[in-house]
Amino acid sequence: FNVEPYLEECLDCVVNQTLQELEIICVNDGSTDGSVQILRDFAKRDDRIILIDKKNAGYGHSVNLGIRIAQGEYIGIVEPDDFLRLEMLEELYGIASEMQLDVVKADFDIVRGPDGKRTYSRQRICKNYDLYHQVINAEIEPDIFQASLFTWAGIYRRKFLIENGIWHHESPGAFFQDNGFWFQVFVKARSIYFTDKPYYCLRRDNPDSSIKSTEKVYCICEEYDFIRRWLLKEKEERYLSMQWYWRWKGYLGNLRRIGSRYKDAFLIRFQEDFTKGLCAGE
């Protein structure tokens, strides 16, 4: 949505991936700038591109729509103000297909500054390095939840997502839907692999990035309510305490993010939600 200054670089890195056997699904979520024309121009030059131009409905709805129409064996998600190293999809797919994995996730870089003057800051996908380079899951290694929740840092077997009904929360706006997707994936995946090579380049100098908004105060609450409902529906109550731990971390991060005029009201909601969890014995 409205990423015209960054979109061409993003698309360049996707169409020029060393893995050329790609289906490239571009979802325009009601942009009002020149984004859709850039997408149309690329689609004219590359018949692998499928363009979906729709009314604005938010991040979760847009990504779910792409997953629903995708035909590929694995799915990667690229946010349009970021970019990838050209070997990312080939190398991650090589790991995934060799070991028949549900999920492969990789380290990434935080990028600041214009092309030619950029700085790259390496970020680990998982703080516990002992969890890298092996096939693991939450049942045998609960510390797997310490890995970063970012959806775009890896690829996912499409059959695994569909069979387990794993979708992004379709809440309005573009806030925190990666939390719910990540939690579902880590609960249900039987084979997850972390690699320590950074591929994804996360831009942190876009002034219009949704993460920089100081409003939408209660989106984090709604996302963790979604996760809790999903756990109860799936009879995965054993992960409820893990949900409360990550809800707590998310609420603290949100408290630092939101504007000062919202903090008192959010603290009241913080207290109310955790009182409910305590009373429920969770």
Side-chain angles (χ1 to χ4, degrees):
F1 175 79
N2 287 357
V3 286
E4 182 178 359
Y6 312 105
L7 186 54
E8 188 167 347
E9 181 178 19
C10 178
L11 288 167
D12 276 337
C13 80
V14 175
V15 300
N16 291 305
Q17 287 286 303
T18 55
L19 179 65
Q20 285 288 293
E21 294 79 15
L22 301 176
E23 175 187 51
I24 304 168
I25 301 170
C26 300
V27 184
N28 181 53
D29 190 32
S31 294
T32 57
D33 64 358
S35 293
V36 71
Q37 188 57 51
I38 294 172
L39 294 173
R40 288 171 180 155
D41 291 343
F42 268 81
K44 288 177 183 176
R45 301 193 298 267
D46 194 323
D47 60 9
R48 297 173 301 168
I49 293 177
I50 298 168
L51 173 56
I52 301 171
D53 187 16
K54 66 180 185 67
K55 292 181 180 179
N56 183 267
Y59 182 87
H61 177 271
S62 299
V63 177
N64 287 345
L65 182 58
I67 292 172
R68 283 190 174 96
I69 73 166
Q71 299 297 310
E73 183 183 0
Y74 283 85
I75 286 175
I77 295 166
V78 186
E79 297 190 2
D81 53 353
D82 300 329
F83 58 98
L84 316 177
R85 291 193 165 86
L86 297 183
E87 69 276 15
M88 175 176 176
L89 296 179
E90 181 177 24
E91 294 188 6
L92 292 187
Y93 178 68
I95 295 170
S97 59
E98 179 183 355
M99 292 186 273
Q100 288 299 294
L101 301 169
D102 291 331
V103 182
V104 182
K105 301 197 83 171
D107 290 353
F108 59 98
D109 283 321
I110 290 178
V111 180
R112 292 181 173 88
D115 193 14
K117 296 182 179 180
R118 284 179 174 155
T119 61
Y120 293 80
S121 175
R122 169 78 168 276
Q123 307 294 311
R124 290 213 176 277
I125 193 65
C126 188
K127 293 179 180 178
N128 184 353
Y129 194 74
D130 291 340
L131 299 184
Y132 281 78
H133 304 299
Q134 59 179 309
V135 181
I136 56 177
N137 61 55
E139 287 188 349
I140 63 174
E141 187 51 78
D143 275 357
I144 199 170
F145 283 97
Q146 299 295 326
S148 297
L149 54 84
F150 302 119
T151 302
W152 36 254
I155 60 173
Y156 309 82
R157 190 203 305 269
R158 182 176 180 274
K159 184 178 180 181
F160 155 72
L161 296 178
I162 300 301
E163 288 183 348
N164 287 283
I166 295 173
W167 304 101
H168 286 74
H169 186 199
E170 295 190 6
S171 53
F175 272 62
F176 304 115
Q177 287 94 340
D178 49 2
N179 286 247
F181 185 80
W182 155 77
F183 212 95
Q184 293 173 80
V185 164
F186 276 26
V187 167
K188 291 295 188 181
R190 300 278 69 87
S191 53
I192 301 175
Y193 187 94
F194 299 134
T195 180
D196 60 356
K197 183 174 178 180
Y199 294 101
Y200 195 95
C201 296
L202 172 66
R203 195 187 302 274
R204 275 290 183 249
D205 56 2
N206 175 6
D208 298 320
S209 175
S210 63
I211 196 66
K212 297 185 179 181
S213 171
T214 59
E215 298 182 2
K216 298 190 177 181
V217 177
Y218 302 111
C219 289
I220 188 70
C221 311
E222 294 162 5
E223 188 68 13
Y224 275 87
D225 287 347
F226 165 77
I227 294 170
R228 182 178 177 275
R229 289 194 301 271
W230 180 84
L231 287 171
L232 294 172
K233 177 177 71 72
E234 294 293 318
K235 303 188 186 308
E236 295 283 6
E237 290 90 347
R238 57 186 168 160
Y239 294 107
L240 281 170
S241 60
M242 186 69 73
Q243 173 270 152
W244 283 106
Y245 171 71
W246 283 100
R247 185 191 288 252
W248 170 70
K249 289 178 73 76
Y251 280 26
L252 288 176
N254 192 57
L255 188 62
R256 292 190 293 268
R257 183 190 65 81
I258 59 177
S260 58
R261 65 186 182 276
Y262 305 118
K263 290 185 185 295
D264 285 350
F266 181 73
L267 280 168
I268 292 170
R269 174 67 179 268
F270 200 147
Q271 181 190 40
E272 290 173 348
D273 286 356
F274 278 78
T275 299
K276 291 175 185 176
L278 185 64
C279 292
E282 295 174 3

